[in-house]
DNA sequence: TAGTAAATTGAAATCGATTTACATGTTAGT
DNA sequence: ACTAACATGTAAATCGATTTCAATTTACTA
């Protein structure tokens, strides 16, 4: 563990600390001769500049913070992986802010930016974790930030996601095309934007097809497997059962299928089940799950790209960027029973 | 965005910067009167000390870095979540180092500690990412560090994991108790310690039961679903097929089951399948997966706890800590066919 | 070869906090 | 009333780099 500082290197190379610093940041300003001389010493002793010292002076930490509700959710994990890659190859490190959905923690991690511990923010929830003055333009009050996947209700924020309304609509249209008329929806938590958007798409599609909405067919879940099972139980108790169940997450769809199978129902012959996300396991459950594919890697890489742009001082237009979703038809959906 | 520094606060409160600093670090050294006065100003303007400035002086970044091969692996995600919680409640932030198994990236992230960007290291791979001098005691050359889940071959390192040998042995013993004699093993990558340990347990159990090892029944996978499918294909081509397949990860077991089912085999009637990890989805695939449970949360929390102890200057005994595994018998295993 | 422009280099200030060493003010004891 | 002991507060050094501005060297022109 060499504890040599820039002054030590400078002394060893018989130059000033300023020159050593320039060797790293602006080598073209240093003559070849001294460059070589200094470089040689640096390599010899394995010197790397201390980040804290540099950060203090440059006011750049080299970190970004990603605020996500739950890293064990495969959707988030897939996004984070892409973010990490993009950040790393641009020389940034990612601080992981797993919030468990708690506003308090969102604010804690957002605070890292204010404290100078991070330079920018990737936000995968529906709240802006800063106190803002509604009289001033939002953009001027926020640090470099990109909102991914979830939606914040403001077009002054840079957002990246699939078009949840259109995606849900496409899913329902597909089920309708199979002859389904009683289509249940298991939503996510009511305060989550992505869930509300998918609900909108669901209702829109049914309306356009002239199918009346039935509130008994709309159940609120929590995006988790267990709540899929719970909601499936409720749906089976209905006097008029649905012939298809559209779940706003794959996890819930997996729970629904498990419960239906336990009760002796055959998916999709008795009831069709459709998910949303296309997590890796969707292909491998039995029957394999029909679902809406979200381009996780692309969502992550677009988010980090837009954030890096801002950090490099480029202007990024606010507003939503839609990434393409894709219907993945597999074996959990089929023709409606007569 | 208030950009007030400690000097501004000091001026506003009519005290010196040192006093303001003490309000945060050693409030008991400040008289009640001034404490209140300063605290009031701090609350009013919402001042928080800049971390970079503090870190430079104290030589503590308040960050730890977690080096993991792949965050999209549910095993790692579960561990990381626990780590994040432990770190956060101790005032630390977690830098995510997803390495994709690349040594180069492991070293990059380990470097953050040397550069002062992180104070300690959580390592979930089998290599020490530092150049070390074999003549000197290892412990003195390493930063505060805990090795989790995987194994580094040195008892000078602090390690936390389940006893993979015993766990695999227990799994095989269970299969043997069901009457299986031709038990295949699908391992992880050959350079991964956990896989080798599980292989050892597998062989040990068979030996003790007087069952001869058959190298045709040992296939090397990559811990991924796809490699489970690939290996299953190979196993089915064997002149003498196994009656049970023990996979060293749940992902591979899921792949195996999927492939067997595609080929018309019934699990477990024709072939039993067993996994390792007990990821969340193990319960929900069909049939539900018999597997070895790893206490992910406890692994993560133990790792972070041991690291925090070190960071607080407490001495932590090197060596392995075993956490208890648990056999989860579900529906993918059954009596050996006659 | 002198004179000037351009390319290098260095000294010192700076980033924002912490902390040491010292100064001041207060209280208590004799 | 005087001094010792203690509580509290301050000035200034410090952490390790970057960067401004000035000084110096080099390169080139006339």
């Amino acid at each position: 563990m060499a504890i040599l500082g820039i002054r030590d290197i400078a002394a060893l190379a018989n130059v000033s600390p300023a020159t050593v610093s320039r060797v790293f940041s602006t080598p073209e300003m240093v003559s070849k001769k001294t460059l070589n001389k200094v470089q040689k010493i640096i390599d010899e002793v394995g010197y790397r500049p201390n980040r804290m010292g540099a950060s203090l002076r440059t006011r750049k930490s080299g970190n970004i913070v990603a605020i996500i509700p739950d890293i064990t959710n495969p959707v988030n994990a897939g996004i984070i992986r892409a973010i990490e890659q993009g950040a790393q190859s641009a020389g940034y490190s990612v601080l992981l802010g797993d919030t468990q959905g708690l506003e308090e923690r969102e604010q804690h991690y957002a605070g890292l930016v204010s404290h100078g511990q991070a330079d920018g923010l990737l936000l995968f929830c529906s709240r802006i974790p800063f106190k803002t003055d509604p009289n001033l333009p939002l953009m001027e009050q926020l640090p470099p930030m990109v909102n991914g996947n979830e939606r914040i209700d403001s077009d002054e924020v840079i957002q990246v996601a699939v078009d949840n309304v259109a995606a849900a609509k496409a899913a329902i249209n597909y089920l309708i095309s199979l002859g389904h008329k009683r289509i249940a929806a298991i939503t996510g938590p009511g305060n989550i934007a992505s869930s509300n958007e998918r609900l909108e798409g669901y209702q829109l599609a049914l309306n356009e097809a002239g199918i009346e909405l039935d509130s008994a067919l709309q159940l609120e879940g929590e995006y988790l497997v267990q709540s899929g099972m719970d909601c499936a139980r409720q749906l089976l108790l209905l006097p008029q059962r649905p012939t298809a169940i559209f779940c706003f997450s794959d996890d819930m769809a997996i729970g629904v299928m498990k419960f239906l199978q336990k009760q002796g129902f055959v998916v999709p012959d008795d009831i069709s089940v459709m998910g949303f996300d296309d997590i890796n396991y969707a292909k491998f459950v039995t029957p394999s799950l029909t679902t809406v594919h979200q381009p996780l890697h692309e969502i992550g890489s677009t988010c980090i790209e837009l954030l890096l742009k801002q950090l490099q001082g480029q202007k990024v237009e606010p507003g939503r960027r839609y990434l393409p979703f894709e219907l993945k038809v597999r074996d959990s959906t089929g023709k409606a029973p007569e």
Side-chain angles (χ1 to χ4, degrees), chain A residues 5 41 48 69 80 89 100 133 144 156 172 180-181 202 210 242 300 336:
Chain A
I41 304 278
R48 295 287 113 183
I80 286 291
S89 64
Q100 306 295 315
D133 182 339
E156 293 186 76
I172 299 300
H180 293 280
K181 296 221 157 56
Y202 161 83

Side-chain angles (χ1 to χ4, degrees), chain A residues 145-158:
Chain A
M145 179 177 114
V146 175
N147 176 225
N149 238 15
E150 284 304 335
R151 160 154 212 195
I152 286 175
D153 204 6
S154 156
D155 34 87
E156 293 186 76
V157 174
I158 299 166

